Amino acid sequence: METPSWKPTKEEREIMESVWMQVKGACEKLKETTNATDTHIQKMLIEMANRYYSSEE
């Protein structure tokens, strides 16, 4: 079964951009205040996304 392609509206794109800027800022602050590397942050974000989406099903 093929999943239909999602096309975000202009409003949804603006919201995603805003959220991305907040996440990016939080990740930079985490790197400044801890010894976390880009790899650590990438793993953390993937784990958070997997946890969130696995509970939605």
Side-chain angles (χ1 to χ4, degrees):
M1 176 185 251
E2 190 174 315
T3 304
S5 182
W6 175 62
K7 305 258 192 268
T9 65
K10 182 180 178 188
E11 182 181 4
E12 290 169 331
R13 284 183 187 273
E14 290 173 358
I15 292 168
M16 289 187 296
E17 182 68 25
S18 174
V19 169
W20 170 244
M21 294 306 290
Q22 292 176 32
V23 168
K24 186 177 175 184
C27 290
E28 290 301 319
K29 186 172 184 176
L30 181 65
K31 284 175 25 178
E32 291 172 4
T33 58
T34 68
N35 64 349
T37 64
D38 287 342
T39 304
H40 294 122
I41 292 171
Q42 180 182 21
K43 288 178 181 179
M44 178 186 69
L45 292 171
I46 290 169
E47 182 180 325
M48 290 168 54
N50 288 342
R51 189 177 306 159
Y52 175 77
Y53 286 109
S54 68
S55 67
E56 290 291 311
E57 293 181 39

